[in-house]
Amino acid sequence: MKFVIIGGDAAGMSAASRAKRNQPEFEVTVLEQTRDVSYSACGMPYNIADAGRSMEDLVVRQAEVFIEKNKINLLTGHRVTGIDPGTRKVMGVTLENKSFTMKYDALLIATGAGPRVSNVPGMDLPGVMPLKSLEHGKKIKAFIDEQNVKKAVIIGMGYIGLEMCEALCVRGITVEMVKPGPTFLPWMTPELSREVEACVTANGVHLSCGHAITAITPHGGGGLTVMTDKRNFVADLVISASGVTPCSELAVAAGLEIGISGAVAVDDMMRTSDDRIYAAGDCADAIHVVTGKKCWIPLALRANRAGWAVADNVCGKETRLQGVAGTAVFKVFDMQVARTGLSLKEAVNEGFDPAEVVIQSRSKAHSHPGSGIIHVSMVGDKKTGRLLGTQMVGTDGVAHRINAPAVALHAGMTVADLIQCDLAYAPPFGPVWDPVLTAANQLIKRL
Amino acid sequence: MKFVIIGGDAAGMSAASRAKRNQPEFEVTVLEQTRDVSYSACGMPYNIADAGRSMEDLVVRQAEVFIEKNKINLLTGHRVTGIDPGTRKVMGVTLENKSFTMKYDALLIATGAGPRVSNVPGMDLPGVMPLKSLEHGKKIKAFIDEQNVKKAVIIGMGYIGLEMCEALCVRGITVEMVKPGPTFLPWMTPELSREVEACVTANGVHLSCGHAITAITPHGGGGLTVMTDKRNFVADLVISASGVTPCSELAVAAGLEIGISGAVAVDDMMRTSDDRIYAAGDCADAIHVVTGKKCWIPLALRANRAGWAVADNVCGKETRLQGVAGTAVFKVFDMQVARTGLSLKEAVNEGFDPAEVVIQSRSKAHSHPGSGIIHVSMVGDKKTGRLLGTQMVGTDGVAHRINAPAVALHAGMTVADLIQCDLAYAPPFGPVWDPVLTAANQLIKRL
């Protein structure tokens, strides 16, 4: 059995390692276009924040280990340029410009997602950089040191943009953030996003929403000018963080079915429309556990889990994934921001009849010192009583708290069910009624 | 409608407040034997740790507020001595030694739990103190200051004993802990309890398990001698923390049905065997969501929730509680200790065919600085695949993590279901595979 994997990051390497564990006699080949495999992409902003740390710290396992210990045929610098499902072959070219062809019995497309392409003139100037691959991270870090960056503009205000914002501030760089859309964190309920916005601006970061970027040009005195329809921004470094899109070009060209947001359409066994070809990770779609519909939410845990599922399925151990709840957390300065399931707006768009409650609670018990405010938004369906989603922000105790409602979403719990849950209490860790329960207690009155 | 409540702490005051909110015209009377109502008993060790804070900080709401704002007929210093279900009356005596009688239409027994009575001679000596009521807390705190306590012995090594241990150490007091049972944290899986034990002893606390206390006597040079079958311990202060028992004497005398561990037996509407009498809080039993059987697990959240349920049921809004998972968390020094559901031993005793896995994970992502080890024990049932319980210890990120498996227990999830859950990930908050998922991924191999 020849199992070929395109892409050597989370989904690809998870699949490769698990396939070899499952079936050591399988021939498992990974074709990775860069030189880097198995690194923590999500850790890059934190690494960039710390001048003293090497970017290599982020590599979870070196390529040699996969080759020598795991017996994976790992080929870095191998870019796949085409898939021929008829003859079950992939074609490609190496970084040394040698072309190659490889037959497969089973193929996994794990090409990930890439920075959203912008056609704004000047996005290719030196000093304008996305952050997706480890190579990008290394470039940004080197640029900060070598160019003595004092001022940066970040285009985009998503997770990566905000994490980079904090990282650059930690490095003593003045940061401005710009985006075309009118709303800071548009997926977040306004009461909560205001808290995050206040935290970011309190840290000296200037936010400009509703600024359409028209061009980036070299600045007379060195550096760059980011031109928008409202005003110009001058910076030594521009981070382009306007979101990502699935890298599904190979799948498109191979005639595979493409799903929502341009991601490769897969079933619950991660099979594409060709029964020899799987897709997993940021390039593939998934079922949303709340809506039961296809969605594209590229996150690291799903990539790892889907990689494992592919390996099991390729090895004949049928594995089906239920779907995702869109559970996510990030930190920006002292603020922890978390979500799971649908926002009120998303719930309306999905045809639910939702009600939302927004409450304030605290991260520690009444009278316990050092407690912070936790803001919770919770959304439920008036028709069925079902829990639809939860969002949370606060300086303390938010990150892991989101997992209780996440599990409740997977279980299809009603808000009334969630209210019954026996959550942990001790004064240093929260009020007797956990903020999640307080939100649920209030929400049920509106359902 | 005359609604009379015996006991003015978590369950009693929750019931009283909610009943008045539900039905302002109801006559709601609370009979509390002490002068204190609605205080955070769980906060007492933390308050004792801080010499500068008043014990009054722990009072959530003053008695006057309940009387004037909530219009509750709150009578402190009123000890109930008997219930006559036939004539629907309670009888009692005040702190001023006046007897009283009161008629009820609905009665709530919310008498809580009390320190387990010991017949060891000398338990009544000055300087030997339990910690249950606010009065106890005040006494301990005053004693530490007035007697210039340098050395303390704590009898018992449960939550309260360990929290008091930390509190006394913070006050600069040398602490020894003694218990008759052979095992430190006997409900905890050995790999995990060893971690907690190591943390406690690393903080200079001497632990003596398997020491049967035979007597406490005044010590020649002042202070006290705690005599055991193995050796004697000398101390200025002895904290008696050998567990609690339900205060169900009134219910017993009234002929009500008594359940497990001597707690008042209640149905899922908190009704006792007399349909006019409810019981809630630490004096009442509950259904365990994993076993479906009666259990007695006195914890604050349940008390509050059960108080509300009684108020709703008394007011004609039928409310049924599903049960408890025994979710609990406590902190001792830097160690967070959490559990939900059954341990391996408990699962065996309950007739399951359980398997357990114990794993080590980390509180932050690979390569993220400042991460601590998290130890997880997870137990599942081989027959059904069901999740039965989870225990966790670690210095960071344990407390709220226990709530995801707690919700899973309420939902009756299998380990395979839990594995599918989309939990949050970001490098500062955990690995891509949350420790809960890593444990579940390992456990499923043994089921």
Side-chain angles (χ1 to χ4, degrees):
Chain A
M1 161 66 94
K2 285 177 191 294
F3 178 28
V4 174
I5 297 165
I6 309 173
D9 204 349
M13 293 318 297
S14 293
S17 305
R18 191 162 173 109
K20 284 303 274 189
R21 262 200 314 277
N22 286 349
Q23 302 278 5
E25 74 282 11
F26 276 20
E27 192 184 311
V28 177
T29 301
V30 176
L31 303 166
E32 164 56 42
Q33 61 180 344
T34 73
R35 290 289 181 209
D36 305 303
V37 294
S38 189
Y39 59 91
S40 168
C42 306
M44 289 196 290
Y46 303 97
N47 187 293
I48 290 168
D50 185 347
R53 276 174 66 206
S54 160
M55 215 73 188
E56 298 300 326
D57 279 7
L58 296 173
V59 175
V60 179
R61 210 181 294 184
Q62 298 291 340
E64 296 72 45
V65 179
F66 286 109
I67 294 167
E68 282 155 32
K69 206 175 140 216
N70 303 72
K71 311 294 181 199
I72 294 165
N73 183 28
L74 171 55
L75 304 171
T76 61
H78 278 61
R79 184 164 63 86
V80 174
T81 54
I83 302 166
D84 181 357
T87 59
R88 300 213 296 268
K89 269 185 201 157
V90 297
M91 294 74 73
V93 61
T94 68
L95 280 178
E96 295 78 22
N97 222 18
K98 282 195 189 153
S99 59
F100 63 88
T101 302
M102 190 168 284
K103 268 200 75 74
Y104 63 81
D105 298 308
L107 179 68
L108 167 58
I109 301 174
T111 42
R116 196 169 283 160
V117 176
S118 163
N119 53 10
V120 166
M123 289 299 287
D124 53 350
L125 284 172
V128 183
M129 297 188 236
L131 178 65
K132 177 70 186 128
S133 70
L134 193 62
E135 208 48 56
H136 294 144
K138 288 176 183 170
K139 270 190 199 158
I140 292 172
K141 201 163 182 180
F143 192 88
I144 290 170
D145 293 330
E146 288 158 15
Q147 304 295 316
N148 189 23
V149 170
K150 297 282 180 215
K151 199 160 179 312
V153 166
I154 298 173
I155 302 173
M157 302 182 192
Y159 304 166
I160 297 172
L162 288 165
E163 288 169 348
M164 275 307 298
C165 165
E166 179 186 345
L168 297 178
C169 287
V170 168
R171 296 293 298 268
I173 297 168
T174 303
V175 179
E176 293 195 273
M177 301 186 83
V178 189
K179 68 181 269 192
T183 318
F184 180 75
L185 299 181
W187 50 268
M188 182 154 253
T189 214
E191 290 95 323
L192 271 62
S193 71
R194 269 202 295 273
E195 297 294 324
V196 186
E197 191 172 349
C199 164
V200 173
T201 55
N203 276 276
V205 176
H206 190 261
L207 301 175
S208 300
C209 296
H211 285 56
I213 290 92
T214 52
I216 305 177
T217 58
H219 185 254
L224 299 154
T225 304
V226 177
M227 304 169 75
T228 77
D229 59 351
K230 298 227 171 68
R231 53 163 281 224
N232 295 345
F233 301 81
V234 178
D236 307 314
L237 166 66
V238 176
I239 304 284
S240 146
S242 311
V244 292
T245 52
C247 297
S248 52
E249 300 82 355
L250 288 173
V252 171
L256 301 178
E257 191 189 325
I258 299 298
I260 190 163
S261 304
V264 186
V266 294
D267 67 8
D268 63 356
M269 289 173 69
M270 308 300 109
R271 292 176 298 200
T272 68
S273 52
D274 180 303
D275 65 358
R276 297 279 187 154
I277 307 180
Y278 297 79
D282 290 359
C283 67
D285 67 6
I287 296 288
H288 197 289
V289 293
V290 177
T291 64
K293 298 181 201 163
K294 281 300 189 82
C295 65
W296 181 64
I297 305 177
L299 287 170
L301 173 60
R302 168 69 182 194
N304 282 267
R305 185 156 20 208
W308 279 12
V310 170
D312 288 349
N313 286 321
V314 166
C315 296
K317 188 186 160 214
E318 188 181 306
T319 300
R320 295 179 185 273
L321 296 188
Q322 287 169 6
V324 297
T327 314
V329 63
F330 70 94
K331 178 176 117 52
V332 57
F333 299 106
D334 284 339
M335 197 62 93
Q336 302 178 3
V337 186
R339 69 170 302 185
T340 189
L342 306 182
S343 68
L344 179 67
K345 212 189 295 174
E346 289 164 343
V348 169
N349 291 343
E350 291 291 346
F352 291 99
D353 182 16
E356 183 193 26
V357 77
V358 179
I359 63 118
Q360 273 190 35
S361 180
R362 303 203 67 96
S363 66
K364 298 179 195 298
H366 163 82
S367 89
H368 202 86
S371 120
I373 294 173
I374 295 184
H375 303 260
V376 185
S377 148
M378 194 173 279
V379 178
D381 185 33
K382 290 190 224 169
K383 229 172 296 172
T384 60
R386 248 182 95 192
L387 178 71
L388 298 177
T390 304
Q391 300 182 343
M392 237 182 272
V393 304
T395 50
D396 178 30
V398 162
H400 306 132
R401 267 202 171 89
I402 200 69
N403 289 338
V407 172
L409 290 178
H410 277 269
M413 277 188 174
T414 61
V415 175
D417 291 332
L418 180 59
I419 282 176
Q420 296 264 356
C421 286
D422 190 10
L423 303 188
Y425 162 63
F429 305 120
V432 177
W433 290 98
D434 190 274
V436 167
L437 294 174
T438 298
N441 283 333
Q442 293 302 319
L443 179 57
I444 196 118
K445 298 179 190 169
R446 306 197 180 177
L447 295 183
Chain B
M1 159 66 93
K2 285 178 192 293
F3 179 29
V4 174
I5 297 166
I6 309 173
D9 204 348
M13 294 317 298
S14 293
S17 304
R18 192 165 173 109
K20 284 302 276 188
R21 261 201 314 277
N22 286 347
Q23 302 280 5
E25 73 283 11
F26 275 21
E27 192 184 309
V28 176
T29 300
V30 177
L31 302 167
E32 164 58 41
Q33 62 180 343
T34 73
R35 292 288 181 210
D36 305 303
V37 294
S38 189
Y39 59 91
S40 169
C42 305
M44 288 195 291
Y46 303 96
N47 186 292
I48 290 168
D50 185 348
R53 274 173 66 205
S54 159
M55 216 72 186
E56 298 300 326
D57 279 7
L58 295 173
V59 176
V60 180
R61 211 181 293 183
Q62 298 291 340
E64 297 72 47
V65 179
F66 285 110
I67 295 168
E68 281 155 34
K69 206 175 140 216
N70 302 72
K71 309 294 180 200
I72 294 166
N73 183 27
L74 171 56
L75 303 171
T76 62
H78 278 60
R79 184 164 64 86
V80 174
T81 54
I83 302 166
D84 182 355
T87 60
R88 299 214 296 267
K89 271 186 198 156
V90 296
M91 293 75 71
V93 62
T94 68
L95 281 178
E96 295 78 24
N97 223 17
K98 283 197 188 149
S99 60
F100 64 87
T101 302
M102 189 167 285
K103 268 199 75 73
Y104 63 80
D105 298 307
L107 179 68
L108 167 59
I109 301 175
T111 42
R116 195 170 282 162
V117 175
S118 164
N119 51 10
V120 166
M123 288 301 286
D124 52 351
L125 285 171
V128 183
M129 298 189 233
L131 178 64
K132 177 70 187 125
S133 69
L134 192 63
E135 208 49 56
H136 294 145
K138 287 177 183 169
K139 269 190 199 157
I140 292 173
K141 201 164 182 179
F143 193 88
I144 290 171
D145 293 330
E146 289 158 15
Q147 305 294 317
N148 189 22
V149 171
K150 297 281 180 217
K151 199 161 177 314
V153 166
I154 298 173
I155 302 173
M157 303 182 193
Y159 304 167
I160 296 172
L162 288 166
E163 288 170 347
M164 275 307 297
C165 166
E166 180 186 343
L168 297 178
C169 286
V170 169
R171 296 293 299 267
I173 297 168
T174 302
V175 178
E176 293 195 273
M177 301 186 83
V178 190
K179 67 181 266 190
T183 317
F184 180 75
L185 298 182
W187 50 267
M188 183 155 252
T189 214
E191 289 94 323
L192 272 61
S193 72
R194 269 201 295 274
E195 297 295 324
V196 186
E197 192 172 350
C199 164
V200 173
T201 55
N203 277 276
V205 176
H206 190 261
L207 301 175
S208 299
C209 295
H211 285 57
I213 290 92
T214 53
I216 304 177
T217 58
H219 186 254
L224 299 153
T225 302
V226 177
M227 304 169 76
T228 78
D229 58 351
K230 298 227 170 70
R231 53 163 282 224
N232 295 345
F233 300 82
V234 178
D236 307 314
L237 167 67
V238 176
I239 303 285
S240 146
S242 311
V244 292
T245 53
C247 297
S248 51
E249 299 83 357
L250 288 174
V252 170
L256 301 179
E257 190 189 327
I258 298 298
I260 190 163
S261 304
V264 186
V266 294
D267 67 6
D268 63 355
M269 287 173 71
M270 309 300 109
R271 292 176 298 200
T272 68
S273 52
D274 179 303
D275 65 359
R276 298 279 187 154
I277 307 179
Y278 297 79
D282 289 0
C283 66
D285 67 7
I287 295 287
H288 197 288
V289 293
V290 176
T291 64
K293 298 181 201 163
K294 281 299 187 83
C295 65
W296 182 65
I297 305 177
L299 287 170
L301 173 60
R302 169 70 181 194
N304 281 269
R305 184 156 22 209
W308 279 12
V310 170
D312 287 349
N313 286 321
V314 166
C315 297
K317 188 185 160 213
E318 187 182 306
T319 299
R320 295 179 186 273
L321 295 188
Q322 287 169 7
V324 298
T327 314
V329 63
F330 71 92
K331 179 177 117 51
V332 57
F333 299 107
D334 284 339
M335 197 62 94
Q336 303 178 3
V337 186
R339 69 170 301 184
T340 189
L342 306 182
S343 68
L344 180 67
K345 212 187 296 173
E346 290 164 343
V348 170
N349 291 343
E350 292 291 347
F352 291 99
D353 182 16
E356 183 193 26
V357 78
V358 179
I359 63 118
Q360 274 191 35
S361 181
R362 302 203 68 96
S363 66
K364 298 178 195 297
H366 163 83
S367 88
H368 202 88
S371 120
I373 294 173
I374 295 183
H375 303 260
V376 185
S377 148
M378 193 173 278
V379 178
D381 184 34
K382 289 190 226 170
K383 231 171 296 171
T384 60
R386 248 181 94 191
L387 178 71
L388 298 178
T390 304
Q391 301 182 343
M392 239 182 273
V393 304
T395 51
D396 178 29
V398 162
H400 306 132
R401 268 202 171 86
I402 201 68
N403 289 338
V407 172
L409 291 178
H410 277 270
M413 277 188 175
T414 61
V415 176
D417 290 333
L418 180 59
I419 283 176
Q420 296 265 357
C421 287
D422 189 11
L423 304 188
Y425 162 63
F429 305 120
V432 176
W433 290 99
D434 189 274
V436 167
L437 294 175
T438 298
N441 283 332
Q442 294 301 319
L443 178 57
I444 196 121
K445 298 179 190 169
R446 306 197 180 177
L447 296 183

